[in-house]
Every structure is written in structure tokens, then in C-alpha cells.
Amino acid sequence: TGSTRPQRLLRAVQKNATQGDPQSVINAIDHFCRHKEWAMNVGDEKGSILDSVVSEVNPSTALELGTYCGYSTVRIARLLPPGSQLITLEFNPAYAAVAKQVIGWAGLQDKVQLVEGPSGDLIPQMKDLFGVQSFDFVFLDHWKDRYLPDAKLLEECSLLRKGSVLLADNVICPGTPEYLEYIRNSPRYESRYFKSHLEYTKVEDGLEKSVFLG
Ligand SMILES: Cn1ncc2cc([C@H](O)c3cccc(CNC(=O)c4cc(-c5ccc(F)cc5)cc(O)c4O)c3)ccc21
Ligand SMILES: [Mg+2]
């Protein structure tokens, strides 16, 4: 009964990052994934694009679908203004356990609500559970076949407002064809593709940024 990759990633954070220093946590994970074991974090190259979109939106309320080990959670939360909140949904308890500790090591636990469960069940409960009116920013990085149904669910639950920004990871690799087809052809969104590479590789991938027009 050896350790899992997320557990080894957490150990690398605890060994190489400084508590309360989010950038050192980000650097420790990127170093681990580049030199020790690849893992499906958004990574440094796409992460810089994520940073620029989060900084531009400057969200009061943000949602992340797919926490995994908390790498993008830390990237987003470290940029949030005081008093703002990031809600991140993770259905896998083992991933959630690691993510909680990574987020804690970065000292960002007060800005983050990590909720365990599947997005399809939790999104309709966001208003009741957290008093959320709408999300200013949504980062999609969970199962690629859930991007489209969950985007529609956010619309149906009135959790998007005029100007809400959806940012989707992996629209090329592994790919999210149905989501791209919908969001690029919907009159209710203005979309733009940010060409990049699959984390820690030379394979093409990218992020799709879509502004909800109301
Ligand atoms: C419903 N619901 N609600 C919450 C929630 C949370 C989860 C988990 O966080 C989870 C578990 C497993 C897989 C994912 C999706 N991520 C990926 O599959 C991915 C793959 C690759 C890649 C690329 C090339 C390869 F060769 C192999 C993997 C690169 C990437 O950046 C990825 O994000 C997410 C799942 C469903 C959930
Ligand atoms: Mg991803």
C-alpha cells in the first residue's frame, strides 16, 4: 500500500514550499511535475494565462470545477481581493484531502470553500449553501464531458450574470468538442481561444475564455 501521486505531490510541497507563501507552493508543484512525476495541474504556461484572466476579472465570487490537488485553486485564490471567495468542487475524497492540505500550506484556506461532491448535484445548491447570487468567474477543469452540461446548468440556475467569465482548460487536449461547439456558436457568449501547451509538455492545448452576455 504505497503512496499515491497526489500524496507524493503534497509531500513535495511540504518539503520544498514555505508555509503561507502561495508562489512557493506553485513553484514546488511545477518543479515536481516537470522533474519528478507529470500530473494534470493546469501548469505554469496555461497558469499564467489563468492569472491574467483572474486579475482582469478581479472576481468577488469565483467557482472552480475540479480541484484535483489544489494547484489552480492556489493560483486563483492568491489573486483574489480581500473579502472575496473561491468555491471549488471536488468529487474524489482522496483528491479533496490532498487539496485541502495544499491550500492550507499556501495559507489560503480563508479564501477557499472546498466542497466535496459532483458538480451536477452541487451547482443547484450554490445559492442555498453559500448565499451566492452569481459567479463573476468560473474555471472549468473537471471531466471534459461535463463542461457543457454544467455551463448550461449554471445558466439555468441563474448563477451567471452579464459579464460573467467562464475559462475552460484542455479545450484541445484531451479536448472538449461539444462544449467548444456550443459556446463558440451561442449568441449568449463572446469567446476567445488562448493557444498554449498541455502542462509540462510541448503538446498543443489551450484555454477558452467566454464572457456571458446575459
Ligand atoms: C463531476 N465532477 N465534479 C467535480 C469533479 C472533479 C473531478 C476531478 O477533479 C477529476 C478527476 C479526474 C479527471 C479530471 C479532469 N481532468 C482531466 O481529465 C485532465 C486530463 C489531462 C490529460 C491530458 C493528456 C493526457 F495524456 C492525460 C491527461 C490534462 C488536464 O489538464 C486535465 O484536466 C478531474 C472530476 C469530476 C468532477
Ligand atoms: Mg486540466
Side-chain angles (χ1 to χ4, degrees):
T1 53
S3 64
T4 65
R5 181 166 307 185
Q7 286 170 329
R8 293 192 292 273
L9 180 150
L10 170 60
R11 221 173 32 242
V13 167
Q14 293 166 333
K15 180 166 177 281
N16 303 310
T18 307
Q19 280 190 290
D21 176 354
Q23 194 57 52
S24 75
V25 169
I26 291 164
N27 297 343
I29 294 172
D30 285 332
H31 187 274
F32 175 80
C33 292
R34 203 173 279 285
H35 302 291
K36 297 284 190 313
E37 298 185 60
W38 186 92
M40 61 178 179
N41 315 117
V42 74
D44 47 352
E45 191 180 316
K46 288 187 289 179
S48 299
I49 300 166
L50 170 63
D51 289 357
S52 60
V53 174
V54 171
S55 300
E56 174 200 358
V57 175
N58 204 34
S60 302
T61 315
L63 174 67
E64 177 180 56
L65 305 178
T67 317
Y68 186 43
C69 295
Y71 173 89
S72 46
T73 319
V74 167
R75 286 203 83 110
I76 297 165
R78 86 191 199 288
L79 298 174
L80 294 181
S84 51
Q85 272 285 304
L86 170 61
I87 297 170
T88 182
L89 310 185
E90 180 50 62
F91 91 105
N92 180 316
Y95 292 170
V98 165
K100 209 164 283 181
Q101 295 184 74
V102 167
I103 295 159
W105 200 268
L108 293 167
Q109 63 285 346
D110 296 345
K111 289 183 175 292
V112 177
Q113 296 263 13
L114 199 166
V115 191
E116 285 188 45
S119 52
D121 297 354
L122 291 170
I123 287 171
Q125 299 180 55
M126 284 295 114
K127 297 197 176 196
D128 300 334
L129 283 178
F130 302 104
V132 168
Q133 300 306 315
S134 61
F135 290 108
D136 306 308
F137 177 80
V138 181
F139 183 53
L140 298 93
D141 194 20
H142 58 338
W143 286 331
K144 308 315 161 194
D145 61 0
R146 285 298 312 177
Y147 284 24
L148 180 52
D150 285 344
K152 289 181 171 173
L153 193 53
L154 287 163
E155 289 176 32
E156 285 153 20
C157 296
S158 309
L159 284 165
L160 301 179
R161 51 129 176 112
K162 190 170 166 26
S164 290
V165 171
L166 303 187
L167 189 65
D169 189 26
N170 311 117
V171 297
I172 304 300
C173 177
T176 63
E178 301 87 352
Y179 174 78
L180 277 190
E181 164 77 18
Y182 172 81
I183 210 93
R184 288 177 173 173
N185 297 305
S186 167
R188 303 187 74 186
Y189 293 89
E190 186 59 47
S191 287
R192 179 184 160 194
Y193 173 62
F194 290 81
K195 183 178 162 75
S196 183
H197 295 94
L198 177 69
E199 48 268 27
Y200 318 113
T201 77
K202 293 185 167 44
V203 173
E204 183 180 344
D205 189 19
L207 301 168
E208 187 81 2
K209 176 193 173 192
S210 305
V211 182
F212 187 62
L213 303 174

